[in-house]
Amino acid sequence: MNSGRGARGSVALLVVRPVLTVATLVAVYYLLPVDRPVDGWTVVGLVAGVGLVVGLVVGEIRAILRAKYPALQGVQALALIVPLFLLVFANAYYVLQHNVPQSFDAPLTRTDALYFVVTVFATVGFGDIVAVTQTARVLVTVQMLGDLLVIGVALRVIVVAVQHSRQRPGAESVHLLPRDQQRGDDAGERPAGEQDHGDGERSVARDGRAGEDGADQRGAP
């Protein structure tokens, strides 16, 4: 019973924590003030945001390697790192358009900037929003390079860390079914050949014991 409650709690944690993380990041993005000019501090803020993402990747990998439930920690890491990376660039696009209206071929609201950054990340490229100025194009290029690093490096490293940590003594997996039912399902999923082989071995063992008992009875006075 306790294992069943623990499994349900783990599943609830798996769903609730990433959702709350993403919701908090999006809320901060919409509430963040942007009434500031584009200057050197804007570049510093962008670099700091990217540096924060890199630091979170390192921190989350360490947390995964120490976590009791590495898979849960891995999902939480992805729910934090990927949205934060996208929102950093969405905010940069919005600030740029807010100060230099001709940066893109269409006005950008916060939602438009978020939409644009997701289309760039997903390499969809609908073409309804296009970077026009050199500054905007450089910024989009930087994001595309960052996309490759997030998908090709950060995501891969997190998955490998989860797999490595699950082999560590003390780490546990998230089970949706009670352990007794899982053992029953595992037994039922064994190949038929293995089950027949096991039944045959047990039958031979019983016949051998029966033959020995018969020989003992005939040899008795």
Side-chain angles (χ1 to χ4, degrees):
M1 182 66 68
N2 291 333
S3 62
R5 286 198 296 268
R8 289 192 293 271
S10 299
V11 174
L13 187 65
L14 174 65
V15 175
V16 172
R17 283 183 62 184
V19 170
L20 290 178
T21 299
V22 174
T24 301
L25 291 175
V26 173
V28 171
Y29 164 73
Y30 275 97
L31 296 175
L32 193 67
V34 294
D35 53 346
R36 59 186 186 276
V38 176
D39 52 16
W41 288 108
T42 306
V43 178
V44 171
L46 177 61
V47 173
V50 175
L52 177 61
V53 173
V54 174
L56 285 174
V57 171
V58 176
E60 288 296 331
I61 290 173
R62 293 178 177 177
I64 290 171
L65 295 176
R66 298 192 303 265
K68 182 178 180 180
Y69 296 100
L72 291 178
Q73 190 65 40
V75 173
Q76 174 66 18
L78 294 177
L80 176 62
I81 293 168
V82 175
L84 179 60
F85 173 80
L86 296 178
L87 292 173
V88 166
F89 279 93
N91 182 70
Y93 293 143
Y94 182 68
V95 171
L96 180 62
Q97 175 67 18
H98 181 76
N99 287 271
V100 186
Q102 66 271 21
S103 297
F104 296 87
D105 64 344
L108 294 184
T109 63
R110 291 181 189 266
T111 302
D112 294 331
L114 183 58
Y115 161 80
F116 177 69
V117 78
V118 172
T119 58
V120 173
F121 182 79
T123 65
V124 177
F126 291 119
D128 50 349
I129 300 176
V130 178
V132 176
T133 64
Q134 296 297 311
T135 302
R137 290 178 177 177
V138 169
L139 188 58
V140 172
T141 302
V142 172
Q143 188 211 328
M144 289 189 290
L145 294 175
D147 294 344
L148 297 177
L149 293 176
V150 169
I151 298 175
V153 179
L155 181 59
R156 175 61 179 170
V157 169
I158 289 174
V159 172
V160 171
V162 171
Q163 294 174 347
H164 177 75
S165 183
R166 293 180 67 178
Q167 300 174 359
R168 172 179 50 84
E172 299 183 14
S173 300
V174 179
H175 300 291
L176 302 181
L177 299 175
R179 294 186 181 275
D180 294 339
Q181 186 173 352
Q182 290 173 10
R183 288 194 293 267
D185 292 342
D186 293 340
E189 291 176 355
R190 288 187 303 172
E194 293 183 4
Q195 295 180 356
D196 295 340
H197 181 68
D199 294 339
E201 290 181 349
R202 288 191 293 271
S203 177
V204 170
R206 286 196 299 269
D207 293 342
R209 286 195 298 271
E212 292 176 358
D213 294 340
D216 292 340
Q217 293 176 0
R218 288 193 297 272

